[in-house]
Amino acid sequence: MTAVHRQSLIIKARHGIHTRPGALFVKAAKGFEADIRLACDGKEANGKSLFKLQTLPLSCGAQVEIIASGQDAHQAVEALAALLSELE
């Protein structure tokens, strides 16, 4: 059974996660073997697809959850949560 790791956080970037920060997230996510999903407002998207991420309402103040499963899931969630927290 594969372990699933999750972490919730609030988007603090004043313009939300638009194309440029979304691309940074996807690039970082692709560095992990884990399956990575981002959930927001009852919807989920593949964290390794910029196109799919753009279907989520990732605006400032939105609560998101990073969900990862696989070999390096814990490290992926930690790194991606830190990345999202640093975006302005």
Side-chain angles (χ1 to χ4, degrees), residues 9-18 21 58-62 83-88:
L9 56 105
I10 303 293
I11 295 175
K12 295 179 182 173
R14 68 186 135 166
H15 298 296
I17 307 301
H18 53 84
L58 302 175
S59 58
C60 183
L83 173 67
L84 286 183
S85 295
E86 293 170 3
L87 295 174
E88 297 181 2

Side-chain angles (χ1 to χ4, degrees), residues 5-86:
H5 294 275
R6 301 171 179 262
Q7 185 169 338
S8 293
L9 56 105
I10 303 293
I11 295 175
K12 295 179 182 173
R14 68 186 135 166
H15 298 296
I17 307 301
H18 53 84
T19 305
R20 187 171 295 132
L24 292 173
F25 183 91
V26 169
K27 182 177 180 183
K30 286 183 177 180
F32 296 97
E33 290 183 31
D35 176 52
I36 299 167
R37 317 243 348 126
L38 202 61
C40 182
D41 199 26
K43 299 178 182 179
E44 270 191 33
N46 181 344
K48 295 182 181 182
S49 167
L50 182 58
F51 177 76
K52 296 292 185 183
L53 281 186
Q54 291 179 324
T55 66
L56 298 176
L58 302 175
S59 58
C60 183
Q63 181 171 344
V64 297
E65 184 174 32
I66 302 167
I67 307 160
S69 60
Q71 182 177 352
D72 54 0
H74 180 72
Q75 295 90 338
V77 168
E78 295 289 320
L80 294 170
L83 173 67
L84 286 183
S85 295
E86 293 170 3

